[in-house]
Amino acid sequence: MFDNQVIHTEHRDVIHDCSYDYYGQRMATCSSDQTIKVWEQNEKGQWVVSSSWKAHSGSIWRLSWGHPEFGQILASASFDRTASVWEETVSDKPGPTSTSTKRWIRKTNLVDSRTSVTDVKFGPKTLGLVLATSSSDGTIRIYEAPDIMNLSQWTLQHDIPCKVPLSCISWNPSVFRLHAPMIAAGSDSTSNEPKVFIFEYSEYNRKWSKTETISSITDSVHDIAFAPNSGRSYHVLAVASKDVSIFNLKPIIDQTGCSRFEVVSAAQFNDHYCTVWRVTWNVTGTMLVSSGDDGYLRMWRMNYQKGWKCICSFKPDSNTQPTVDSPPVVNQSLSTAKFFKKGSNNTQIQQH
Amino acid sequence: MSGNEENVCVVADKLSEMCGLTGKFITNELISVHGFQPVLSTSRDVPTKFANTSEVNVFHISQAFALDDSVLRGLVSESSSIFYNLQTAKDKTSEFYLHTSRSYRSAIRATLNKLREAIDDEDSNSDDVKKYENFVTIFYSIECSWHLCEFLLIDSSSISTVPNLLEWTKFHFPSPSQNAAEMLINLDRDVDVRSNYWVTVKGLILQGQIDIARALLKLHSSSETMTFQLAEKDLQSMPIFSSHGGLSLQKFRSQWSYWSTTLISKIDSGLYSTEPDLEDIMKLITGDKATWMEVCKDSNCWYEHFAGFLFFTQPSAKYFELGASVNSWLSQWASSKGSSGFTNLNHLERMVLAVLKNDMAEFIHSIQDIADNKWFVVHLTDLLVHCDQLRMSNEGDNTSLVIALRENLIYDYGAMLMSRGSLWEIGMDYLEFSSSEGLGAREILLQRIPIKNDLQATNVIAVARRHGLAAIEQDICRVMVKRSMSLHNYGNALEWAIRSRDNIYVTKVANVFLFHYCKTGKMLHKDLLAHVGAKMFISPRLLFLVKYFDFHRYFSSRALAQAAELLVNLLDSKIIPEFFWPSLLADAIPLLEHNEPIIPSKETYIIMHHLESNLIPFIEKKNRQRENINTDHGDDIELNLIDGYPDDLVQLLRLACARNLSRAMIIENTLIH
C-alpha cells in the first residue's frame, strides 16, 4: 500500500533531474524548458514552488544541492556548455506586513567546457566546497571555492582529460575510512572500449589520476553512483549500462603505498531487459533504484544473506485511477500494490 | 518476470507512460518518481516531442506507515524500552526472557484495548474506525502467535506442551468458559433447556475442562438418571496426565488404555444411547474419529480443537513431536470442512501452523508480511535469538544466518523509524544494537534529521552526544550559523558559531557585527557580547570584537583611563581586521581631545605609529580600488566603509595626537621634576 502525492510542476517540457536537499525538505527540478524550480512543503505538507527562474540558454541536465553548512546552494549543468552555482538569498528588508522574499542568485558561471556539461556534483563536504563536472568533450573538471564564505570565487583546480565523451560522474561519499578523494566517471560513447573509470586524488602529487578502469563494461554507460558507506571496508559502485551492475571495490594497499582495487562484480540485473538510464542509492546505501528503457523504475535491496533482489517496481499507467493526494490509508484490504513487502491478507481472522 | 508481479506500484501519469519513469530516494522511506526522457552526451538540444503536450508531474511515493498513529505510538515507545532492556540486561536468565516476552505481550494487549476504545469513540462509519479495526485484526494475530511462541519456545521451564496449548486455546476461544461461568453463577436447574447448553458442555470437553463440564452436567434436569450418573463416574475416574510428578508415562498409558477400553465397551454396549449428547462426549474422549470430524465441521479455524484432540489422544506429546500430529489433524480437519486444506487457511492460521510444525523459517517469513511495518518480526526475532530458540534450517550450524537475520531486521526497523518524522530518537536505539552498518547508518541518518528551529537542533545535538557522535554537533552548528545568517538573525548566528568552535564561521559572523558597527555606529546584540566570556578565544576576530565591545563599555561609563588603555592595547594587538582601522583610530580622537589628558606620551606615539603605518596604507589601497572599480570586484562592504569617514580623518587624528602629546609631555616632565 502506498501513500502517493502528486506535484504538478508546470514545467513546459520533460524534467531531466529532480534533486533533493540534504534533509529531503526541499526539491529542485530542471527541464528542457531551461528553467529551474525550487520547491518546499507548506504547513499542510503540500509541495509548493518557492522560486522559478530561467537559468540557462539550453536544456538543464542535472542539479546538485550543496551541503547546508555552505548555505542554500545549487549547481546546475546545461547543454549551453556551462555549469552554474546558485545561492538563495533572503531580502534584507522584510516589511512589517510582507514576508521576506527569497531569490536565487547566480554566484558563478563555469564556462570552461567547450561542449555540453553532462553532469555536476558537489563533492563530500570533508573536502571543502568542491564541485565536479563532466562534459561531452571528455573532461572532468574539479572546481573549488577556496573561501567557503565567498561563493563567487571558484577556481578550476583540476582538469582531467578522459578522451571519451562523458555522461556521468559520482563522488565517493565515504567518510568512514581514510582514503583519497575518489571520483568515478562513465562514458556513453559507442566504441568497444571500457567505459567506467575511477580517479583518485594524490595529496603527494596534488593531482588526480586514473587508478582503475572497469574492463568488464564496454557498453555505453549512462549513469554511475557510489553507494553511501555506513561502515563497510570496501566501496560499492552501481553502473547503469545495458543492465544494472554493482561492483565492490576492495582497496589493496601494496608496499609502495599506491592504492589499487580488487574490483568484484557483486550483482548484475537484467530485469529491465533493455538499456538502463539511471541508478540512484538511498541515503544509507542499502537500496538502489534503476530506471530502464522499458519505462519501469525498479527498486533493489540486499537481503541478509547478501543477495540482491528486486523488491518493488513502479510502472507508468495512466489508465489506472490515480490515488491523488489521498490521505494516508493503512487498510491493506484495499491494497492494489505493496511497497517493499506485501501486506497481510489476514482480514478473515475471527475475533473472540 | 521472476514472480515479483505483485510488487508493482502503478504511477498514473500520462507523460511517464509515453516516455518512461525515473526516480530517486528522498529519504530511505520516500521515493520521488517522474517522467523521463533519456539523453546521451551527444544528444542535440531540441525540445522533446512531449514539450507542451501533457502535464509534467513529480510523484512522491512511500510505503503506508502505521506506527506514527496516535494509538500505536504508545506501543512503539513501550516496546522500544523493553527492547532496550533486553539488549542491555546483564543477568539474562530464562525467567528474564519469559518476563520480557510477557512485557511485549502486555504492551500488545494494552494497545488492543486502546484500539477498541478508539473504535468506540469514533463515529462507526469513519475511515478511522476501519483503520483501527484493521489494526485490531493485525495485533490480535500478533498477540495470538506470540503467545504460542512464548510457551513453546521462550519458556524453557515449560515441559508440558499439551496443557499449555489447552490454556492458549481456552484464551483465544473463551466462549465455552464464559457461558459455563454464567450458568454456574445462576445455578438454575433448567439450564438444559437453553439452546447453548450442550454446545457449552462439549466446548468445555473439547478444551479439556473436564471438571467444569462435570459441574455443568450436574445442573442438568436429568442429572439423577442412570446415564448421567454413569457419565459422572467415568469422567471422575478419567486418568489425567501430568508431567509434574504423579504417574510415570508408562503407568499413565496403561491406566489410560484400560480406562478408555472400558469406556468404549460401555459406549458399544449402548449404555449411553439414551443420551446422544453424552454419548458424543464420551466418543470424543475416546478419540472417535467420526465424532471429531463432526465437531470440526462447526469449528472456526483449524487449531480450535487441535489441543483438545491432543489432550485425549497424546497428552504427553512434546513440542518437537507435534509436526506429524499437526499434519494428520490438518488433513482430517480439511476433509471434514470439505476443503483442500492449506489453500483456504488465513494468515493467522498459517502462522500458527508454522509455529506448531516448528517451521521457523516459514513462520518468520510469513510474519514479515504483516502490515505492521515489521514491528512483530523485529521484536520476536530479536527475543528468540537472545534465548537461542531460532532455527532457520535443520542442517548444520545456522547461528551466523540467524544473527545476520536479526541484525538485518533491526537495522531496517531502526532506519525506518529514523526516516519517519518524530520517531527518530527511538530508531537510534535500535540501530545501536544492529550491525556495524547500523552504527554507520545511525550517523548518516542522524545528520539528516530535518531541523526546523533552534530547539530541534539542540535536541539532535543532545542525542548525538549521548550516542558519542560528537562530530555531528559541529556540522549542525555550522548549518545553523548559515541559516541564521541568511535570515539576518545575527545574534543567533553568533551563538551557533561560538558553539561550532569553527574559526571560519565565527570570523564570518564577527565580521558582520564589525561591519554593522562601522556602517551605523551601533553594536548589535550587546547583551550577547557581554556574556561571551572565555569562549572569545575561539577566534581572534571574536576576541577583537569582544574586546572592542569592552572598550565601548568603559567609554560610555566614563571609565576613560581603562578605555584608553584598552584601546592602545588593541591597536598593538595585531588582531585588528584591516577594514576596522579607520573606525578604531577615530575612537581615539575623543580620548586624545579630552579636557584632562588621559593618554600618556608613549601611548600617543603608538597611536601615531599605527596611524601612519596602517591607516594611511589602507586608505590608499581603498582609493586605488575605487579607481579600478570596474576592473576589480573588491568587497563592496569594505569599499563603502571608507566613505563613512570625513576625508580629513587623518588630519584630525594627527592634530589630536600632536595636541595630546604636548599636554602629556608637559605633565609628565613636570612630574619628573
Side-chain angles (χ1 to χ4, degrees), chain B residues 461-513:
Chain B
I461 289 173
V463 173
R465 279 198 183 160
R466 201 160 63 232
H467 287 87
L469 302 168
I472 290 176
E473 175 171 1
Q474 203 178 26
D475 289 356
I476 292 172
C477 291
R478 289 197 196 107
V479 171
M480 294 310 285
V481 173
K482 269 293 185 182
R483 199 178 292 187
S484 310
M485 290 280 276
S486 82
L487 297 171
H488 311 289
N489 189 350
Y490 302 114
N492 230 9
L494 185 64
E495 284 182 280
W496 283 112
I498 290 171
R499 215 170 158 180
S500 81
R501 301 184 168 270
D502 184 321
N503 182 21
I504 296 176
Y505 284 75
V506 177
T507 303
K508 178 76 179 175
V509 183
N511 276 348
V512 171
F513 277 69

Side-chain angles (χ1 to χ4, degrees), chain A residues 219-233:
Chain A
D219 295 279
S220 297
V221 168
H222 304 290
D223 201 5
I224 197 162
F226 271 112
N229 188 341
S230 55
R232 282 186 299 260
S233 60

Side-chain angles (χ1 to χ4, degrees), chain B residues 69 119 122 125-133:
Chain B
D69 185 276
I119 291 170
E122 294 281 339
N125 291 320
S126 77
D127 285 341
D128 275 354
V129 167
K130 277 184 211 142
K131 180 175 82 177
Y132 288 141
E133 279 170 350

Side-chain angles (χ1 to χ4, degrees), chain A residues 3 5 7-9 12-13 20 22 59 69 90 125 188 284 291 313 315 317-318 330 332 337 339 344 352, chain B residues 7-9 11 17 22 28 32 41 45 48 52 56-58 60 62-63 134 172 369 447 475 488 505:
Chain A
D3 294 340
Q5 191 182 21
I7 302 149
H8 306 292
T9 65
R12 289 190 303 277
D13 205 341
Y20 292 83
Y22 192 67
S59 283
E69 73 176 46
V90 184
K125 78 176 175 68
D188 62 357
T284 45
S291 32
S313 59
K315 168 193 169 193
D317 184 353
S318 61
V330 198
Q332 71 274 53
F339 186 27
S344 72
H352 300 279
Chain B
N7 285 341
V8 175
C9 173
V11 179
E17 195 178 23
T22 190
N28 270 7
S32 152
S41 64
D45 187 23
T48 67
N52 294 312
V56 181
N57 296 327
V58 175
H60 286 176
S62 64
Q63 186 190 22
N134 186 38
H172 290 283
D369 291 349
Q447 291 176 42
D475 289 356
H488 311 289
Y505 284 75

Side-chain angles (χ1 to χ4, degrees), chain A residues 185-187 189-197 214 217-221:
Chain A
S187 165
S189 86
T190 47
S191 68
N192 194 29
E193 288 160 348
K195 294 295 185 318
V196 177
F197 318 104
I214 297 180
I217 294 193
T218 54
D219 295 279
S220 297
V221 168

Side-chain angles (χ1 to χ4, degrees), chain A residues 1-18 20 22-25 27 47 58-59 61 67-71 79 90-92 118 125 136 148-149 165-166 176 188 222 229-230 232 271 273 277-278 280-284 286-289 291 295-299 301 303-305 310-320 322 329-332 337-352, chain B residues 1-2 4 6-14 16-17 20-29 31-41 43 45 47-48 50-52 55-66 116 134-138 140-141 172-174 300 346-348 350 368-371 374 392 401 404-405 408 411-412 436-437 440-441 443-445 447-450 452 475 478-479 482-483 486 488 504-505 508:
Chain A
M1 191 62 205
F2 299 89
D3 294 340
N4 190 341
Q5 191 182 21
V6 185
I7 302 149
H8 306 292
T9 65
E10 280 158 19
H11 272 294
R12 289 190 303 277
D13 205 341
V14 174
I15 293 175
H16 293 295
D17 200 8
C18 182
Y20 292 83
Y22 192 67
Y23 303 110
Q25 302 285 89
M27 168 172 87
W47 289 83
S59 283
W61 303 135
H67 191 278
E69 73 176 46
F70 303 120
F79 182 81
V90 184
S91 72
D92 205 350
T118 50
K125 78 176 175 68
S136 54
I148 58 166
M149 294 295 169
L166 296 176
F176 287 93
D188 62 357
H222 304 290
N229 188 341
S230 55
R232 282 186 299 260
D271 296 44
Y273 291 108
W277 294 107
R278 291 273 172 100
T280 323
W281 292 95
N282 69 348
V283 176
T284 45
T286 48
M287 281 188 268
L288 182 77
V289 288
S291 32
Y296 277 64
L297 183 70
R298 289 178 203 279
M299 189 183 292
R301 69 160 304 152
N303 68 11
Y304 70 101
Q305 287 160 308
C310 177
I311 50 165
C312 175
S313 59
F314 297 83
K315 168 193 169 193
D317 184 353
S318 61
N319 296 320
T320 315
V329 183
V330 198
N331 191 340
Q332 71 274 53
K338 280 97 185 176
F339 186 27
F340 304 132
K341 267 290 167 197
K342 63 190 175 66
S344 72
N345 43 9
N346 53 351
T347 47
Q348 313 298 321
I349 295 167
Q350 292 290 324
Q351 288 297 314
H352 300 279
Chain B
M1 295 263 253
S2 63
N4 281 316
E6 54 188 335
N7 285 341
V8 175
C9 173
V10 172
V11 179
D13 186 39
K14 221 165 162 187
S16 312
E17 195 178 23
L21 275 179
T22 190
K24 55 174 67 164
F25 286 94
I26 304 172
T27 67
N28 270 7
E29 296 292 310
I31 186 168
S32 152
V33 172
H34 61 90
F36 163 73
Q37 164 89 350
V39 282
L40 298 171
S41 64
S43 296
D45 187 23
T48 67
F50 310 109
N52 294 312
E55 271 185 9
V56 181
N57 296 327
V58 175
F59 297 81
H60 286 176
I61 303 172
S62 64
Q63 186 190 22
F65 185 66
R116 291 195 181 110
N134 186 38
F135 288 160
V136 167
T137 312
I138 291 170
Y140 169 77
S141 13
H172 290 283
F173 300 92
N300 292 308
N346 70 30
H347 200 263
L348 174 59
R350 277 199 296 264
Q368 290 191 51
D369 291 349
I370 300 176
K374 304 222 179 158
M392 294 299 281
L401 192 71
L405 172 70
N408 200 270
Y411 178 100
D412 283 354
S436 59
E437 277 98 343
E443 198 167 343
I444 291 181
L445 292 167
Q447 291 176 42
R448 288 175 189 263
I449 299 297
K452 289 211 173 65
D475 289 356
R478 289 197 196 107
V479 171
K482 269 293 185 182
R483 199 178 292 187
S486 82
H488 311 289
I504 296 176
Y505 284 75
K508 178 76 179 175

Side-chain angles (χ1 to χ4, degrees), chain B residues 4 62 123 134 283 293 429 458 476 494 498 550 601 628:
Chain B
N4 281 316
S62 64
D123 175 19
N134 186 38
K283 281 182 174 169
M293 295 222 356
D429 287 341
T458 313
I476 292 172
L494 185 64
I498 290 171
D550 286 348
S601 58
N628 305 334

